[in-house]
Amino acid sequence: MALADPTCGILNGAESTSPFSEIIELNVGGQVYVTRHTTLTAVPGSLLWNMFSKKTPKELARDSKGRYFLDRDGFLFRYILDYLRDLNLVLPDYFPEKSRLQREAEFFQLRDLTKLLSPKMSKDISITDEICQSDSEEPSVQSATPLVGPDPSRALSAVSTARSPSLESKKTGYITVGYRGSYTIGRDIQTDAKFRRVARITVCGKTSLAKEVFGDTLNESRDPDRPPERYTSRYYLKYNFLEQAFDKLSELGFHMVACSSTGTCAYSSSDPNEDKIWTSYTEYVFCRE
């Protein structure tokens, strides 16, 4: 009876010439995945196929728990693994990280997946490109044939509308920004006031909206697998300036619709003569209609 290496996975009793077990555990950028050896070797010539077909377990890097380690994007690897299972690509309706996933597909040497992720010319994009191409040729045309009509500004307005992104394409919804801060007030308020800001601004709302607004400044480590159309209250920002968050929201068409705040007071010690510490928590609700 074949014995399994517990750091690799579990054999199902089937005889195999491969030094790897049938069930394999992976640590990809801190995210743990459990899959079959046949899944990882589904695409001949790919990086994973070479790792788990041409090499031995001792040649591959492992983490402290014996799982095979890959220093790549752990969140995006789920789509790589899904593709390897049935060689079919299925992405959420709102997926702003397609270019990053394409980079991961190139790294794992999955040529067909890379082609699927390459930008394609849809019907709408083709129409827009035709408009833009026509606009680029306008100067030469206008030099030969001047504009004729009672209001040439209408033509410029139409061109401007075609070039600008449609407001209807932006999703509506709410985003709540939370902020916790504290400060102390001494006996002489004017001279002893000491302010301290906690370096964390929380973000609550639909995942797709939060990623659209804050992008790479959004820390998703506490909720990495949240689907785009689900809601979360576990995100926070990588900076501690409220104004920076407000600017991003304003630039993308959000406006504040509500605000609430709470505050508490406590002494820094049991001595009532010591400074008081005030702690406040404020939430700002933004909406895009």
Side-chain angles (χ1 to χ4, degrees):
M1 179 178 178
L3 297 177
D5 181 352
T7 62
C8 298
I10 302 173
L11 284 173
N12 289 341
E15 294 183 359
S16 174
T17 59
S18 173
F20 295 94
S21 11
E22 183 180 353
I23 306 301
I24 293 179
E25 292 188 29
L26 301 172
N27 178 349
V28 184
Q31 299 293 322
V32 177
Y33 292 90
V34 181
T35 186
R36 290 182 177 276
H37 178 263
T38 52
T39 300
L40 296 176
T41 57
V43 179
S46 65
L47 177 67
L48 292 172
W49 181 85
N50 281 305
M51 288 176 59
F52 293 95
S53 294
K54 298 297 183 180
K55 295 185 178 181
T56 62
K58 294 182 179 180
E59 296 180 84
L60 302 181
R62 301 198 190 193
D63 64 8
S64 59
K65 295 186 178 180
R67 295 176 291 227
Y68 296 105
F69 178 75
L70 292 168
D71 190 16
R72 301 302 298 180
D73 191 313
F75 175 76
L76 293 178
F77 187 75
R78 62 185 298 182
Y79 300 105
I80 298 292
L81 201 57
D82 283 345
Y83 173 78
L84 292 175
R85 290 188 177 111
D86 54 13
L87 301 183
N88 186 30
L89 177 64
V90 179
L91 296 177
D93 293 336
Y94 179 82
F95 189 74
E97 297 181 296
K98 185 176 290 186
S99 60
R100 293 178 60 187
L101 181 57
Q102 182 181 0
R103 183 180 63 184
E104 294 299 303
E106 292 173 352
F107 174 82
F108 287 106
Q109 301 172 14
L110 299 169
R111 296 180 180 179
D112 291 341
L113 178 58
T114 302
K115 291 179 182 179
L116 291 174
L117 292 168
S118 299
K120 293 182 179 180
M121 300 294 290
S122 65
K123 182 178 180 180
D124 294 338
I125 295 177
S126 299
I127 294 175
T128 305
D129 288 345
E130 289 175 4
I131 294 174
C132 294
Q133 184 177 1
S134 175
D135 294 342
S136 63
E137 296 172 354
E138 278 182 5
S140 60
V141 174
Q142 289 179 355
S143 60
T145 307
L147 287 175
V148 178
D151 189 5
S153 63
R154 289 185 178 179
L156 297 177
S157 175
V159 171
S160 151
T161 303
R163 287 179 174 177
S164 62
S166 173
L167 293 177
E168 294 179 357
S169 63
K170 296 183 178 179
K171 292 188 176 183
T172 62
Y174 290 84
I175 289 181
T176 300
V177 175
Y179 179 77
R180 190 181 304 277
S182 64
Y183 57 91
T184 61
I185 298 180
R187 289 174 292 278
D188 187 347
I189 296 178
Q190 299 299 323
T191 59
D192 293 344
K194 299 177 182 179
F195 295 89
R196 180 176 66 87
R197 290 189 173 184
V198 177
R200 179 153 299 184
I201 301 174
T202 61
V203 175
C204 308
K206 186 176 289 187
T207 302
S208 58
L209 280 178
K211 289 184 177 181
E212 177 191 347
V213 174
F214 298 109
D216 292 338
T217 63
L218 189 71
N219 194 318
E220 309 170 48
S221 61
R222 295 192 300 174
D223 201 1
D225 297 325
R226 178 68 60 174
E229 298 307 313
R230 298 292 297 273
Y231 291 84
T232 182
S233 61
R234 297 179 59 81
Y235 289 165
Y236 62 92
L237 301 181
K238 298 179 181 179
Y239 50 81
N240 61 343
F241 294 100
L242 273 175
E243 293 76 11
Q244 190 173 349
F246 293 167
D247 286 342
K248 287 184 174 292
L249 287 160
S250 178
E251 290 170 1
L252 291 178
F254 285 83
H255 60 277
M256 189 186 300
V257 295
C259 173
S260 64
S261 181
T262 61
T264 59
C265 174
Y267 291 101
S268 58
S269 70
S270 58
D271 186 355
N273 294 322
E274 293 292 331
D275 295 345
K276 295 179 180 179
I277 299 178
W278 292 82
T279 302
S280 64
Y281 178 73
T282 307
E283 287 187 337
Y284 306 89
V285 182
F286 288 81
C287 174
R288 184 169 67 188
E289 299 175 348

